[in-house]
């Protein structure tokens, strides 16, 4: 659900750029929407790959109903720590990598339709709430639920190699969140060039 939520916001950035493209002098808005969409596409891959991988590692039997599980944090403290950070990144917490792209898309959507921007903000909150609910239900609390203890289904905790790899990925999330212009600058310049070229072509065809 969180993945679909991000892809919907990504698509909104593209559509907002397309909606403002025919407007004369709106090159900045076109660039903003496309830059935000490209940023979300990149960081969606960085975050969701980790979320899917950690979810697959959580249980030895991947098809087990998550509603029967609780208290996994006691068995998998390293996995829980990285999963918590991944959830924060997915929820576009300020200081992490998803935040700049989501803000750019919301700004572009607001310029087209303020109600659309409000809807996108609510959708992002719903996606974040779904992830937080999963964390609360499966990892927090005491082991066992409804009189049954299913924690024996939990997989092994992350090893040192896994933790080292995830530490590197997490450092990239934080670096891109605190200093987004590291990549936003080149992406924005590329789309500004595209928007300017499209404006020239459109003007030429109209003439």
């Amino acid at each position: 659900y969180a993945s679909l939520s991000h892809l919907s916001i990504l698509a909104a950035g593209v559509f907002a750029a397309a909606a403002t493209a025919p407007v004369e002098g709106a090159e900045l808005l076109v660039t903003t929407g496309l830059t935000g969409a490209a940023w979300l596409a990149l960081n969606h891959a960085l975050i969701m790959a980790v979320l899917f991988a950690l979810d697959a590692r959580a249980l030895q039997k991947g098809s087990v109903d998550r509603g029967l599980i609780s208290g996994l944090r006691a068995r998998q403290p390293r996995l829980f720590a990285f999963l918590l950070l991944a959830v924060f990144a997915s929820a576009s917490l300020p200081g992490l990598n998803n935040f700049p792209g989501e803000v750019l898309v919301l700004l572009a959507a607001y310029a087209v339709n303020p109600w659309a921007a409000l809807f996108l903000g609510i959708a992002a909150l719903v996606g974040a709430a779904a992830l937080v609910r999963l964390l609360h239900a499966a990892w927090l609390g005491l082991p066992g639920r409804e009189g049954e203890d299913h924690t024996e289904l939990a997989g092994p905790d992350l090893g040192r190699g896994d933790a080292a790899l995830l530490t590197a990925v997490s450092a990239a999330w934080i670096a891109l969140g605190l200093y987004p212009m590291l990549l936003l600058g080149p992406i924005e310049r590329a789309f500004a060039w595209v928007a300017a070229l499209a404006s020239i072509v459109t003007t030429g065809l109209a003439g």
Side-chain angles (χ1 to χ4, degrees):
Y1 293 145
S3 180
L4 291 175
S5 172
H6 286 138
L7 292 177
S8 299
I9 296 173
L10 188 160
V14 175
F15 283 117
T20 53
V23 181
E24 185 177 355
E27 290 83 2
L28 180 59
L29 288 176
V30 175
T31 303
T32 300
L34 293 178
T35 302
W39 185 265
L40 286 178
L42 169 64
N43 289 285
H44 178 268
L46 291 176
I47 296 170
M48 287 301 158
V50 173
L51 280 174
F52 280 121
L54 293 180
D55 182 65
R57 284 287 300 270
L59 301 179
Q60 296 179 11
K61 298 180 180 180
S63 61
V64 175
D65 183 4
R66 295 298 190 275
L68 299 176
I69 304 298
S70 63
L72 291 180
R73 183 179 62 172
R75 296 280 300 269
Q76 302 166 326
R78 289 179 181 173
L79 191 152
F80 174 76
F82 287 109
L83 183 64
L84 183 63
L85 183 59
V87 167
F88 286 158
S90 177
S92 300
L93 204 69
L96 292 171
N97 54 330
N98 235 15
F99 180 74
E102 198 163 293
V103 168
L104 289 175
V105 169
L106 288 174
L107 287 174
Y110 183 84
V112 176
N113 189 327
W115 290 106
L118 176 62
F119 178 78
L120 286 175
I122 294 174
L125 290 176
V126 171
L131 285 174
V132 172
R133 185 175 184 275
L134 171 65
L135 275 181
H136 183 269
W139 268 267
L140 302 180
L142 298 175
R145 180 172 296 178
E146 298 179 357
E148 299 181 7
D149 186 359
H150 294 274
T151 52
E152 74 279 358
L153 299 176
D157 198 12
L158 299 178
R160 291 183 179 179
D162 298 324
L165 176 61
L166 288 170
T167 299
V169 175
S170 302
W173 295 346
I174 296 171
L176 291 175
L178 294 178
Y179 188 58
M181 292 309 294
L182 187 67
L183 291 180
L184 267 182
I187 294 173
E188 189 174 17
R189 286 193 294 272
F191 281 122
W193 181 83
V194 171
L197 182 61
S199 178
I200 294 173
V201 172
T202 303
T203 303
L205 291 176

